[in-house]
Amino acid sequence: MKLILLGAPGSGKGTMAAVLKREYKITHISTGDIFRANIKEQTPLGIEAKKYIDQGALVPDELTISMVEDRLSQDDCANGYLLDGFPRTIAQAEKLDEMLAKSGSKIDAVINVTVPAEVIMERVVNRRVCLSCGESYNVVSRPTKVEGVCDVCGKEVVHRDDDKPETVKARLETYEKNTKPLIDFYADKGIVIEADNSQSPEHAFEQASAALAKMGF
Ligand code: AMP
């Protein structure tokens, strides 16, 4: 099964990804996590990507696409995957279709995670993430047991630089302009599943899994 997760920053996409990964035992590929790992290691890709990420802008398509192409060629993707944070532009989506068509494959479903706009900013500024395993926390609703330490892997949990209010505003604008059009792009193919995350991640997951079951997954 090949899935894409769409959703604005702060929609709960990351939490949804963790649940889908666990329930469907599917390889989870987060382009944001890969960029952050590269930034931490100060690789050439990380140094270049940071310039854009810190502004709340998108990393150029060329860099992002070749990184994803490389990742999808690895063995753990052979039986499917969940793409989280990719594609984020129509050009990326078209390139992904092209890549998949080469092997006679296609995306099975696109899960669109939604929450009302007013909760997004609050969620994102309160969000803390583990730089090692990607687990996500919230200082108000889901704090770590020990401050700054990941409950899952014991590594450092931080407030992402791009989760500061000024950058979140820019990221939301980037989302509206570049990524939202992808909903129509995939709706035209009839493969969009809506997951309303305004109540709880469990509720959103139930909605998504019921729709996936109808599609035979
Ligand atoms: P995320 O963790 O998915 O919110 O991603 C964090 C940041 O990484 C984004 O705000 C972008 O700057 C960059 N990024 C992640 N995925 C992509 C992508 N598919 N295309 C371009 N930039 C991306």
Side-chain angles (χ1 to χ4, degrees), residues 15-102:
T15 308
M16 185 70 159
V19 182
L20 288 162
K21 179 183 166 185
R22 191 182 65 227
E23 297 295 325
Y24 290 98
K25 309 211 172 2
I26 189 169
T27 300
H28 171 215
I29 300 171
S30 155
T31 41
D33 283 352
I34 304 176
F35 284 133
R36 280 184 288 280
N38 276 275
I39 292 170
K40 200 173 166 211
E41 298 299 321
Q42 299 204 315
T43 66
L45 172 67
I47 291 166
E48 185 61 18
K50 191 174 186 323
K51 294 182 200 162
Y52 300 91
I53 294 175
D54 285 353
Q55 309 285 321
L58 293 180
V59 178
D61 284 339
E62 229 176 70
L63 273 181
T64 308
I65 290 166
S66 68
M67 177 180 90
V68 170
E69 198 159 19
D70 178 59
R71 182 66 188 86
L72 296 185
S73 69
Q74 293 172 20
D75 290 346
D76 63 345
C77 292
N79 293 324
Y81 41 77
L82 168 67
L83 286 170
D84 167 8
F86 182 92
R88 257 182 160 97
T89 63
I90 296 284
Q92 290 178 10
E94 286 173 345
K95 188 68 198 181
L96 177 65
D97 277 355
E98 248 176 64
M99 274 186 239
L100 292 172
K102 278 187 207 157

